[in-house]
Amino acid sequence: MKTALITGITGQDGSYLAELLLAKGYRVVGMQRRTSTETVGRISHLLDRIDLVQGDLLDQLSLIDLFQRFQPDEVYNLAAQSFVPTSWQQPVLTGEFTAIGVTRILEALRLIKPDARFYQASSSEMFGKVQAVPQDESTPFYPRSPYGISKLYGHWITINYRESYDLFACSGILFNHESPRRGLEFVTRKVTHGAARIKLGLTDTLALGNLDAQRDWGYAPDYVYAMWLMLQQDQPNDFVVASGRTHTVQKLCELAFAAADLNWKDHVTLDERFLRPAEVDLLVGDASTARSQLGWEPSVSFEEMVEIMVDADIKLLRGERPEGMQQAIGR
């Protein structure tokens, strides 16, 4: 039985990855920060099947202790301060977690378990002010937020440790990926949850920022499968994971409100408070390398994903257990 350590296991990606690895027979160790409030909602159905332990990317010794105790075969670093707007309000903290935290976990890996395979969650936000369309592994980076800059540090330090210490260390440059488990602060979930609230008569309007921003959105369970595939290869490499299709926030609104039998124009308002200081206008990924080398293909379209999320939010607001919040279909 292989042992996998997942940092950020309580997040959207961590919960889906834990399900996938359990289905494949892994022992799953999940690292979470010590908090005074309950944060395990996304993995509550897995608590009797995983080892949930405390650790912190700000605390080097806690990471070394986890590597010594569990001797993981695979390590997936999904922990970060991952909300772009917050990175403007807390840029130093974002750098500590999302940038320097990667170095701390790589150091623990190098010192204690150098034969383990390591996955770093990189981000399409590293492309920022895009230098080419679409973006692939060779596209120059131009991040436009403290979050994107921190992710770029984490990306390059992973490459540096791979080349300097011969570690099996990969970065997945994942474009936006969503699901019913996405946090309410992210625009996709904000839109689907907002449409559901309006559908049920709980509110009348939804305030948004830049409706013209374009993103390449995919379905989170598909993307965590790509993470696992990267660590099963003969040689470590970095991969763009994306759908190859781009949509505006306005298109997201059109689909989400239509799924709730509503017209988005009747309910969506513009609010400058939600505009970024420096916007990322167009992201669309070229996942040709992942398709050819990993054999990866997305299984759920953007349109299907939006319908899944709206349906799950309507059920959630009705007090039902939405299907999308239950275990994802394993591969």
Side-chain angles (χ1 to χ4, degrees), residues 234-253:
D234 292 332
Q235 297 295 326
N237 208 340
D238 305 320
F239 296 89
V240 164
V241 180
S243 74
R245 299 173 63 203
T246 188
H247 305 278
T248 63
V249 175
Q250 178 175 315
K251 183 63 175 180
L252 167 66
C253 291

Side-chain angles (χ1 to χ4, degrees), residues 128-192:
K129 187 176 181 180
V130 297
Q131 305 299 291
V133 180
Q135 296 91 48
D136 62 18
E137 293 82 2
S138 64
T139 302
F141 299 116
Y142 196 138
R144 297 268 282 171
S145 68
Y147 170 78
I149 294 164
S150 298
K151 277 294 186 183
L152 186 53
Y153 176 99
H155 179 78
W156 277 113
I157 199 67
T158 299
I159 293 173
N160 183 259
Y161 270 64
R162 178 171 72 214
E163 295 176 350
S164 301
Y165 301 114
D166 197 29
L167 300 179
F168 194 107
C170 301
S171 283
I173 307 173
L174 271 56
F175 280 64
N176 296 67
H177 46 287
E178 319 296 324
S179 77
R181 300 182 190 176
R182 190 55 133 160
L184 289 170
E185 69 273 23
F186 290 87
V187 68
T188 44
R189 185 76 193 290
K190 182 177 180 180
V191 169
T192 63

Side-chain angles (χ1 to χ4, degrees), residues 194-195 197-198 202-208 257 264 266-269:
R197 284 177 55 81
I198 293 169
L202 300 175
T203 190
D204 293 322
T205 60
L206 174 65
L208 297 173
F257 279 80
W264 73 277
D266 297 333
H267 305 283
V268 173
T269 62

Side-chain angles (χ1 to χ4, degrees), residues 79-104:
Q81 192 301 101
S82 60
F83 188 46
V84 175
T86 297
S87 77
W88 293 102
Q89 299 163 2
Q90 299 180 328
V92 176
L93 183 65
T94 299
E96 285 287 349
F97 276 115
T98 309
I100 303 302
V102 184
T103 310
R104 294 189 184 101

Side-chain angles (χ1 to χ4, degrees), residues 21-91:
L21 295 176
L22 287 170
K24 292 186 177 297
Y26 282 70
R27 179 192 184 188
V28 174
V29 180
M31 188 188 90
Q32 69 168 148
R33 298 182 68 211
R34 169 74 176 89
T35 62
S36 59
T37 56
E38 184 66 52
T39 60
V40 296
R42 295 182 181 93
I43 58 169
S44 58
H45 60 297
L46 302 176
L47 292 178
D48 61 342
R49 302 173 59 197
I50 64 175
D51 294 288
L52 193 59
V53 296
Q54 291 180 10
D56 199 315
L57 291 184
L58 301 185
D59 185 352
Q60 182 75 69
L61 289 179
S62 72
L63 300 174
I64 290 173
D65 176 65
L66 289 181
F67 277 90
Q68 289 176 331
R69 286 166 57 194
F70 295 102
Q71 297 289 311
D73 301 287
E74 296 176 3
V75 178
Y76 297 85
N77 183 37
L78 310 185
Q81 192 301 101
S82 60
F83 188 46
V84 175
T86 297
S87 77
W88 293 102
Q89 299 163 2
Q90 299 180 328

Side-chain angles (χ1 to χ4, degrees), residues 313-330:
D313 275 322
I314 289 174
K315 290 179 178 176
L316 184 68
L317 289 167
R318 284 176 173 165
E320 304 172 19
R321 176 71 170 170
E323 187 173 326
M325 293 296 286
Q326 295 173 355
Q327 184 165 327
I329 298 174

